Amino acid sequence: DAKTTQPPSMDCAEGRAANLPCNHSTISGNEYVYWYRQIHSQGPQYIIHGLKNNETNEMASLIITEDRKSSTLILPHATLRDTAVYYCIVRVGWNTGNQFYFGTGTSLTVIP
Amino acid sequence: GAVVSQHPSWVICKSGTSVKIECRSLDFQATTMFWYRQFPKQSLMLMATSNEGSKATYEQGVEKDKFLINHASLTLSTLTVTSAHPEDSSFYICSARDQTLYEQYFGPGTRLTVT
């Protein structure tokens, strides 16, 4: 079962940073936070994941609070192509191959 | 690298017929594959976990006799929807676990419409 809570929708102006929050208050010490996104009628696309430290890659940054009960995905300069549903998922281990259980996600609309 | 394909990308079938969906890992070997179903405006729901050479493990509420899963090789898993009905119309997505890196990669999905 999904263990995360996300706002159902958000808007962001093109070129601005999009900050997508996620609550995972029951996260365990060995659970990682993953972010995926799904553009309409496509398979989910991996964005980033982390355990406790903040992470950054070419797509986004992941900020995890010190108590690990929440996190924020940051898209630094949102474009129209970033319009998608963003899923925050917690999963045991980064390399266990365990199943992903998706929550309801946040529908992000980037506005021109 | 790490590409997962699905075939067909969309299919229309008549009620009562069966339809097979293929999921292939193109550039890695996958001992484990997962099948998801997604209804319009809803999230992905995990249906089953498919392990190469053994029986699939189904999530609670998923009919194993209706959704037949075969994982006969390290690069191919198939999902057969038997005796399809209009309520089986959905978007079916697979993911594959790289047996070396252990990460999962998702396919592009298959749109099934049952008339």
Side-chain angles (χ1 to χ4, degrees):
Chain A
D1 293 332
K3 303 180 185 179
T4 62
T5 304
Q6 300 176 251
S9 64
M10 291 181 64
D11 292 338
C12 177
E14 187 178 17
R16 307 296 287 268
N19 297 281
L20 291 89
C22 179
N23 286 322
H24 31 79
S25 57
T26 61
I27 193 169
S28 301
N30 60 350
E31 287 184 313
Y32 284 69
V33 180
Y34 281 77
W35 282 84
Y36 278 80
R37 72 181 183 184
Q38 185 180 28
I39 296 171
H40 181 64
S41 294
Q42 296 183 23
Q45 176 190 21
Y46 168 80
I47 301 174
I48 200 167
H49 75 279
L51 181 61
K52 58 176 71 173
N53 297 322
N54 298 337
E55 302 287 345
T56 296
N57 63 21
E58 64 277 6
M59 288 183 67
S61 295
L62 173 60
I63 308 298
I64 302 174
T65 57
E66 194 168 339
D67 63 7
R68 301 187 70 238
K69 293 185 176 183
S70 65
S71 62
T72 301
L73 177 74
I74 301 174
L75 307 178
H77 304 287
T79 70
L80 298 180
R81 284 180 290 185
D82 291 322
T83 293
V85 178
Y86 288 77
Y87 295 100
C88 166
I89 307 163
V90 296
R91 191 186 76 169
V92 173
W94 72 272
N95 64 346
T96 61
N98 289 344
Q99 300 90 331
F100 283 110
Y101 290 97
F102 285 77
T104 54
T106 295
S107 178
L108 174 69
T109 301
V110 179
I111 302 169
Chain B
V3 176
V4 175
S5 71
Q6 288 185 234
H7 178 80
S9 56
W10 60 271
V11 58
I12 301 173
C13 72
K14 293 187 176 181
S15 186
T17 62
S18 296
V19 61
K20 180 184 289 186
I21 301 170
E22 294 184 348
C23 176
R24 293 183 186 271
S25 55
L26 298 185
D27 47 7
F28 64 95
Q29 294 187 322
T31 53
T32 305
M33 292 185 175
F34 304 93
W35 287 95
Y36 295 82
R37 179 169 54 180
Q38 185 176 33
F39 293 109
K41 298 188 183 300
Q42 295 187 22
S43 185
L44 285 77
M45 184 191 78
L46 180 66
M47 299 175 67
T49 301
S50 163
N51 293 298
E52 187 264 339
S54 64
K55 291 184 178 181
T57 302
Y58 291 82
E59 295 294 305
Q60 190 173 8
V62 177
E63 300 175 62
K64 61 181 67 176
D65 294 331
K66 180 169 186 61
F67 298 100
L68 301 180
I69 292 173
N70 183 278
H71 192 159
S73 80
L74 288 174
T75 59
L76 173 65
S77 176
T78 60
L79 168 69
T80 301
V81 182
T82 62
S83 186
H85 291 287
E87 56 265 31
D88 298 322
S89 298
S90 188
F91 193 49
Y92 292 87
I93 302 168
C94 73
S95 70
R97 188 189 89 165
D98 184 315
Q99 71 169 6
T100 302
L101 300 177
Y102 293 97
E103 262 311 339
Q104 286 187 44
Y105 305 95
F106 285 84
T110 296
R111 174 78 56 193
L112 169 64
T113 301
V114 184
T115 61

